[in-house]
């Protein structure tokens, strides 16, 4: 249930509701907006059926939540969530670009890539140290050594690090090295993993599962938020369809739909969505026009030598041209990059 307080309500009115909810074994989640305070009752809200919440002092209205997700829903928190990553904001008026190789290959190559994307104004460097590969014989990433390369490049460039966590046993390692933890498409419904990242305060990029509906996607975000971590960024990265010309099919309508259903920031990964470097620019611009709060793009200085995802990795020059074009699209929709 969502309990909307009146603009002139007192602190004591809020405290009274919180006590009442806790007495009924419900958890109260308070969201203070610019205009109003909204209290969410978390738990089995059937116990509220007989309680006339609207007669409590300071309450304007009490609405049952019909959707299965609560904390992530826009009803629950009408204002956009802006995730703060060490002073850099994702979900505000500025669109953030996250760029880098699919996998961390060596310290030198990573640094070369980081320096090649920096002139475009990129402040987030991506790269996988633990890679979820379809084949057990493919390059699996350098593990902790790769995380150290990322941390070294952060030290040198000041860029923030985005990297994928696959196993709950590595959470302590990631807490130490990553600025944003990425949960990949294959793990969107790894509930143990979601619970673990929910228990820490690091920002999380949650990628949409290959075959996940929007509802399932939001339920996974709910898992993270239910543990207390509110720094969740959703990433649309294409879904599986019958089409084989592209690696996946970018669900562009997911962007405005998610922005409507949830207050969380929404970014798009055009690289994994299309899997082809020739299509990445067009879909990147479409994502910004559709309202995305950021892009996550694979870039490599020598895509032909990349250990993974070379065919979808942009060369630095093409990437810089693309970001220039994206800036114009962003301006057209009232945003900046
Ligand atoms: C990645 O970003 O490197 C990756 C593996 O993405 P996804 O989980 O979307 O396939
Ligand atoms: Mn990749």
């Amino acid at each position: 249930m969502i309990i909307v307080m009146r603009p002139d309500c007192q602190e004591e009115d809020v405290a009274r509701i919180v006590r009442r909810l806790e007495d009924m074994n419900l958890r109260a989640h308070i969201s203070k907006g610019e205009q109003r305070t909204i209290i969410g009752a978390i738990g089995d809200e059937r116990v509220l059926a007989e309680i006339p919440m609207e007669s409590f002092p300071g309450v304007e209205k009490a609405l049952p939540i019909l959707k299965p997700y609560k904390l992530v829903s826009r009803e629950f928190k009408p204002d956009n969530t802006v995730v703060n990553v060490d002073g850099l904001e994702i979900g505000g008026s500025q669109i953030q670009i996250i760029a880098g190789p699919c996998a961390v290959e060596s310290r030198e190559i990573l640094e070369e890539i980081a320096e090649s994307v920096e002139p475009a104004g990129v402040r987030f460097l991506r790269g996988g140290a633990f890679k979820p590969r379809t084949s057990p014989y493919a390059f699996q990433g350098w593990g902790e050594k790769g995380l150290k390369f990322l941390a070294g490049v952060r030290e040198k460039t000041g860029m923030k690090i985005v990297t994928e966590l696959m196993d709950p046993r590595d959470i302590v390692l990631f807490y130490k090295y990553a600025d944003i933890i990425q949960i990949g498409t294959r793990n969107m419904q790894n509930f143990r993993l979601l619970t673990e990242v929910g228990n820490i305060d690091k920002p999380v990029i949650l990628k949409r599962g290959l075959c996940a509906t929007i509802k399932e996607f939001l339920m996974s975000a709910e898992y993270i938020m239910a543990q207390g971590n509110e720094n969740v960024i959703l990433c649309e990265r294409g879904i599986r369809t019958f089409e084989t010309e592209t690696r996946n099919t970018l669900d562009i309508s997911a962007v405005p739909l998610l922005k409507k259903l949830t207050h969380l920031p929404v970014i798009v990964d055009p690289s994994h969505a299309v899997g082809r470097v020739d299509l990445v620019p067009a879909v990147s611009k479409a994502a910004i026009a559709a309202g995305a709060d950021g892009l996550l793009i694979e870039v490599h200085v020598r895509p032909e030598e990349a250990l993974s995802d070379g065919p979808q990795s942009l060369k630095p020059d093409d990437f810089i041209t693309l970001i220039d074009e994206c800036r114009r699209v962003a301006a057209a929709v009232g945003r900046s990059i």
Side-chain angles (χ1 to χ4, degrees), residues 148-221:
K148 286 185 174 152
F149 292 156
L150 285 163
V153 176
R154 168 177 49 206
E155 198 139 301
K156 184 142 188 229
T157 61
M159 292 168 97
K160 309 283 173 223
I161 299 305
V162 180
T163 192
E164 179 172 351
L165 168 69
M166 293 204 296
D167 189 324
R169 289 171 296 185
D170 295 324
I171 190 104
V172 174
L173 211 53
F174 275 67
Y175 193 80
K176 185 164 148 202
Y177 291 111
D179 295 302
I180 303 182
I181 295 178
Q182 179 174 313
I183 301 293
T185 192
R186 294 158 189 83
N187 276 313
M188 187 205 81
Q189 285 189 315
N190 182 337
F191 301 115
R192 261 300 296 283
L193 195 58
L194 300 177
T195 303
E196 288 293 328
V197 295
N199 280 325
I200 57 176
D201 55 4
K202 267 276 166 211
V204 176
I205 289 180
L206 177 66
K207 289 189 138 196
R208 182 177 179 183
L210 281 166
C211 296
T213 62
I214 293 287
K215 202 176 276 171
E216 288 163 341
F217 190 17
L218 290 173
M219 289 308 287
S220 289

Side-chain angles (χ1 to χ4, degrees), residues 18-76:
V18 171
R19 279 197 304 273
R20 190 74 176 96
L21 295 178
E22 287 174 353
D23 283 348
M24 287 182 292
N25 284 328
L26 294 170
R27 195 151 61 82
H29 181 279
I30 301 174
S31 161
K32 279 204 165 82
E34 270 170 32
Q35 305 282 332
R36 282 167 203 284
T37 297
I38 294 178
I39 307 171
I42 313 292
D44 184 355
E45 61 181 63
R46 279 175 300 186
V47 295
L48 289 174
E50 304 297 316
I51 316 277
M53 292 311 295
E54 286 179 351
S55 22
F56 278 63
V59 173
E60 183 165 295
K61 53 183 185 253
L63 311 159
I65 308 183
L66 302 172
K67 299 197 177 80
Y69 44 85
K70 300 175 194 294
L71 296 171
V72 304
S73 78
R74 183 64 89 177
E75 291 158 296
F76 210 82

Side-chain angles (χ1 to χ4, degrees), residues 102 126 131 247 272 298 309 312:
C102 179
R126 61 146 290 146
K131 293 302 303 175
R247 184 170 176 182
H272 292 87
E298 288 189 339
D309 287 349
Q312 67 192 36

Side-chain angles (χ1 to χ4, degrees), residues 78-140:
D79 299 331
N80 286 336
T81 285
V82 178
V83 174
N84 190 311
V85 189
D86 242 342
L88 295 178
E89 293 185 338
I90 302 186
S93 66
Q94 187 172 39
I95 291 167
Q96 294 293 355
I97 310 293
I98 302 164
C102 179
V104 174
E105 299 174 3
S106 72
R107 166 70 204 244
E108 292 69 31
I109 296 175
L110 187 65
E111 204 169 305
E112 231 185 302
I113 295 170
E115 283 168 357
S116 77
V117 296
E118 249 193 323
V122 174
R123 280 153 294 205
F124 292 89
L125 177 67
R126 61 146 290 146
F130 294 81
K131 293 302 303 175
R133 304 306 299 278
T134 302
S135 164
Y137 309 118
F139 176 58
Q140 304 286 311

